[in-house]
Every structure is written in C-alpha cells, then in structure tokens.
Amino acid sequence: MEIIIDSINDIREAARQFIAAMPSGNVFAFYGKMGAGKTTFIKALCEELGVEDEVTSPTFAIVNEYEGGAVCPTPLIYHFDFYRIKRLEEAYDIGFDDYVDSGNLCFIEWPELIEDLLPEDATRVSIEETADGRRRVSFRQTE
C-alpha cells in the first residue's frame, strides 16, 4: 500500500487512509531518514485514533503512552523512539517485549536499531521525501 502526502495539510487524510488499510497486528515499525516525517505522521495517526493527550516525540523518554479513543482498536498506544539507544539491551531494560506482547498498538521510530527484537509479523512502514517535497508512505506486513 502506498499513500502520497502532498502537503502537511493533507496529513490527517493520509492518516485516515492508513488506519483504514492497517493490516492486522499491533506493531508498526516506521523507517525513514531524519526529517522524513515519522513523528508528524504518528502524531496524526494518534489524533485520528482519538488520542486526546498531546502527542510528542519520545526521544528522551524512549516511550510515550497514550490512551486510545473510541475508534482506537486498543485501549493504549505506545510510541517508541529508539534514536538515542546505544545498545540493544536498553530496549530490554525498558521492557520492550512486555509492550509488544500487551496487544496494544506500538508505533516505533528508528526500528532499525532494535530490528532483532521486532516480531515477525510487524508491519514495516517507510516514509520517504520525494524530489518535489511530498511524502510517500508505504507499508507491508511480513508474514
């Protein structure tokens, strides 16, 4: 599946399209260069899923927890940012497996740093900036 975001004004519609096409599973790994829009897109996803709290990057906390709204398929959403971790053990230290095994939605930025810990059925989401400044969101679920 591929979604093109022409401008920041279209991000909520793109999030709605993504949610409508979300494959089964609870783990979504977001890949993209710095500045590609991973945090911004996850924020739009959370807002469309009814999160009322402010959605921010968990760069320093590593994980933020949000209550899902009535349209969210799970009661909680976990938003991870592994950009700052230096060792895989740091993900174990925060109880990453427990979060994933909870069944709640897990949105993960910089998953390449914990690739060995991702479940086999995680949905890989790529966000790329195109030459004309648009964003291309594509995803696939591994089986």
Side-chain angles (χ1 to χ4, degrees), residues 58-63 80-94 96 108-117:
T59 301
F60 295 100
I62 299 178
V63 62
F80 298 87
D81 184 334
F82 287 112
Y83 181 74
R84 295 185 62 232
I85 70 165
K86 303 287 186 244
R87 299 177 333 277
L88 197 58
E89 291 75 26
E90 292 177 64
Y92 284 116
D93 291 345
I94 67 161
F96 180 72
I108 304 166
E109 296 185 54
W110 301 102
E112 47 274 81
L113 300 174
I114 56 133
E115 195 73 41
D116 292 343
L117 300 181

Side-chain angles (χ1 to χ4, degrees), residues 12-58:
R12 295 288 295 266
E13 175 57 31
R16 284 189 287 275
Q17 290 176 32
F18 184 92
I19 291 166
M22 275 173 59
S24 62
N26 67 309
V27 178
F28 294 82
F30 290 82
Y31 296 83
K33 293 180 180 178
M34 180 75 73
K38 297 179 297 294
T39 301
T40 303
F41 190 66
I42 290 171
K43 178 178 179 176
L45 288 174
C46 289
E47 289 170 353
E48 289 301 316
L49 290 168
V51 171
E52 293 182 7
D53 292 330
E54 182 180 359
V55 177
T56 59
S57 175

